[in-house]
């Protein structure tokens, strides 16, 4: 059974307890890492300046900017595959992981939104509480 490493555990320390429970349920069925939970406003601005976020951290906050964080960014793992290589296989990894997140969301009664369903830009690693 997959389990979280030290980095994921550390990143989950700053995350809303409902989202942590959701991640704890999903890790039982699919291997992934939590690469970011809470995000400072400075980090938010940096990501905006790099074109990696639509939220600037100045005029308004994103779900990562609250304490505890209302969002997580994740990376799915499947042996021998890079989730960020842009291939059809990498996209499929995110969709398989999302299926587990949606199942856990229904089971635990924790409503979420997945960034992979957004029109532009799609944000496959992103999950947030509704």
């Amino acid at each position: 059974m997959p389990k979280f490493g030290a980095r994921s555990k550390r990143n989950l320390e700053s995350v809303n307890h409902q989202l942590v429970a959701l991640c704890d349920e999903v890790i039982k069925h699919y291997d992934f890492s939590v690469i970011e939970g809470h995000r400072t406003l400075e980090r938010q601005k940096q990501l905006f300046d790099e074109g990696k976020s639509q939220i600037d951290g100045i005029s308004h906050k994103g779900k990562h900017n609250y304490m505890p964080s209302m969002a997580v960014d994740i990376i799915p793992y499947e042996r021998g595959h890079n989730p960020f290589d842009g291939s059809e296989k990498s996209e499929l990894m995110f969709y398989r992981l999302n299926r587990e997140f949606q199942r856990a969301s229904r089971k635990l009664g924790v409503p979420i939104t997945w960034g992979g369903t957004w029109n532009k830009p799609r944000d496959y690693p992103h999950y947030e509480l509704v």
Side-chain angles (χ1 to χ4, degrees), residues 1-48:
M1 178 169 63
K3 61 182 181 178
F4 288 125
R7 178 182 178 193
S8 290
K9 289 178 184 177
R10 194 170 44 254
N11 287 335
L12 284 170
E13 289 174 0
S14 64
V15 173
N16 177 283
H17 68 93
Q18 289 182 305
L19 203 46
V20 171
L22 193 66
C23 290
D24 286 343
E25 177 63 25
V26 172
I27 195 69
K28 295 175 187 175
H29 307 281
Y30 198 103
D31 197 9
F32 71 100
S33 287
V34 178
I35 57 173
E36 198 159 32
H38 177 261
R39 188 181 290 161
T40 65
L41 294 176
E42 292 79 20
R43 170 95 172 116
Q44 187 67 47
K45 183 175 180 333
Q46 174 192 0
L47 291 172
F48 178 79

Side-chain angles (χ1 to χ4, degrees), residues 1-128:
M1 178 169 63
K3 61 182 181 178
F4 288 125
R7 178 182 178 193
S8 290
K9 289 178 184 177
R10 194 170 44 254
N11 287 335
L12 284 170
E13 289 174 0
S14 64
V15 173
N16 177 283
H17 68 93
Q18 289 182 305
L19 203 46
V20 171
L22 193 66
C23 290
D24 286 343
E25 177 63 25
V26 172
I27 195 69
K28 295 175 187 175
H29 307 281
Y30 198 103
D31 197 9
F32 71 100
S33 287
V34 178
I35 57 173
E36 198 159 32
H38 177 261
R39 188 181 290 161
T40 65
L41 294 176
E42 292 79 20
R43 170 95 172 116
Q44 187 67 47
K45 183 175 180 333
Q46 174 192 0
L47 291 172
F48 178 79
D49 291 346
E50 293 172 359
K52 296 177 181 175
S53 178
Q54 300 296 305
I55 298 171
D56 62 15
I58 296 171
S59 60
H60 65 283
K61 292 181 178 182
K63 296 252 181 157
H64 283 283
N65 303 128
Y66 292 93
M67 187 57 127
S69 179
M70 304 295 278
V72 291
D73 288 340
I74 55 86
I75 299 175
Y77 290 119
E78 289 183 16
R79 186 177 299 259
H81 298 286
N82 176 352
F84 293 111
D85 67 5
S87 70
E88 186 175 312
K89 173 68 177 177
S90 68
E91 189 172 310
L92 190 57
M93 290 168 63
F94 282 101
Y95 276 95
R96 279 198 281 261
L97 181 55
N98 180 58
R99 188 172 49 235
E100 292 299 327
F101 266 92
Q102 297 305 322
R103 183 195 57 75
S105 171
R106 288 187 301 276
K107 178 180 179 180
L108 300 178
V110 177
I112 56 170
T113 297
W114 177 42
T117 62
W118 298 345
N119 288 331
K120 298 241 180 185
R122 289 185 188 225
D123 189 354
Y124 290 110
H126 183 87
Y127 287 87
E128 64 182 48

